[in-house]
Amino acid sequence: GQQVQQSPTSLVLQEGENAELQCNFSTSLNSMQWFYQRPGGSLISVFYNPSGTKQSGRLTSTTVIKERRSSLHISSSQITDSGTYLCAMRGSALGRLHFGAGTQLIVIP
Amino acid sequence: EAAVTQSPRNKVTVTGGNVTLSCRQTNSHNYMYWYRQDTGHGLRLIHYSYGAGNLQIGDVPDGYKATRTTQEDFFLLLELASPSQTSLYFCASSDRGRDEQYFGPGTRLTVL
């Protein structure tokens, strides 16, 4: 069954608005990673965040292991933030990531 | 400078053809992975490896072989390519004991 659920599926923002992306896991969570991808492009690691909160510039990731969820907050969105954000979780098997379907973010002027 | 490189970047072949996708990492990582990405299915793990000579089966291994010849090099082999294997293929690497994965630029494969 589906192990990783991402929401929303897509999101349209006006430049300057904030975004909250969610990831929920159906099995026990040991670590998770957020990626950014442009259409047809490679996956760029945004956060490796096994637990707690991490911040990098306008991006903040919070992972709550016990609740099997993680979020990615984008503040003051910019047009260049447009793309797909993927979360991936690792369960009990070392190294094996399970990916969500992604959130497509579109930021308009 | 890129730590994970893939070749070729684009490949077109015909049904029944042989294809080898190459991946090299200069991260000194022990783990390497092959994924495929398809609309509607997301990213799925094909094969992975703990080190030279080691091979582990992923979630969608049918129709694929893989070989890890050195710590740096990991190959994906399609011996009888089929149109269902048309996809975007990614290689990734990660350190032993840590799970952060670093991805290559991808190879777009089209099987006619």
Side-chain angles (χ1 to χ4, degrees):
Chain A
Q2 185 70 28
Q3 291 186 290
V4 184
Q5 296 275 4
Q6 276 192 255
S7 61
T9 304
S10 61
L11 184 61
V12 180
L13 298 176
Q14 275 203 309
E15 195 172 14
E17 291 183 326
N18 298 333
E20 186 86 10
L21 282 56
Q22 300 287 345
C23 206
N24 291 283
F25 314 104
S26 60
T27 60
S28 61
L29 171 66
N30 283 282
S31 66
M32 65 80 54
Q33 196 167 350
W34 283 95
F35 295 91
Y36 168 75
Q37 185 181 30
R38 288 196 182 276
S42 184
L43 278 73
I44 299 169
S45 182
V46 176
F47 284 110
Y48 169 66
N49 187 12
S51 65
T53 297
K54 288 190 174 183
Q55 183 175 2
S56 175
R58 295 181 294 104
L59 303 181
T60 303
S61 171
T62 299
T63 298
V64 184
I65 293 281
K66 289 184 178 179
E67 296 179 13
R68 300 179 183 175
R69 62 176 176 85
S70 183
S71 64
L72 179 65
H73 182 84
I74 304 172
S75 63
S76 303
S77 61
Q78 300 177 359
I79 293 172
T80 52
D81 293 333
S82 298
T84 298
Y85 292 82
L86 296 156
C87 68
M89 60 81 72
R90 181 178 72 80
S92 58
L94 188 66
R96 295 189 63 152
L97 290 181
H98 299 275
F99 282 81
T103 294
Q104 184 181 22
L105 176 65
I106 299 171
V107 182
I108 59 176
Chain B
E1 180 182 293
V4 182
T5 56
Q6 294 182 235
S7 63
R9 296 293 311 278
N10 291 282
K11 176 72 176 180
V12 180
T13 190
V14 295
T15 299
N18 289 341
V19 176
T20 298
L21 306 184
S22 302
C23 178
R24 167 164 285 198
Q25 57 96 2
T26 57
N27 296 321
S28 299
H29 286 166
N30 289 290
Y31 291 81
M32 295 185 74
Y33 312 84
W34 277 107
Y35 293 91
R36 60 177 291 174
Q37 185 177 34
D38 306 285
T39 303
H41 290 282
L43 272 138
R44 294 177 291 175
L45 181 65
I46 305 170
H47 290 297
Y48 64 110
S49 168
Y50 297 155
N54 176 269
L55 181 64
Q56 301 295 318
I57 295 172
D59 298 320
V60 288
D62 293 346
Y64 301 96
K65 292 184 179 179
T67 180
R68 179 89 177 270
T69 54
T70 64
Q71 185 181 32
E72 294 80 18
D73 298 304
F74 196 29
F75 301 93
L76 187 67
L77 294 77
L78 292 74
E79 293 184 331
L80 288 172
S82 72
S84 64
Q85 294 176 308
T86 292
S87 187
L88 182 57
Y89 291 86
F90 288 105
C91 176
S93 73
S94 69
D95 196 8
R96 177 185 293 179
R98 278 181 59 90
D99 301 313
E100 184 168 15
Q101 294 191 13
Y102 298 88
F103 279 71
T107 294
R108 183 165 296 280
L109 174 66
T110 302
V111 183
L112 301 174

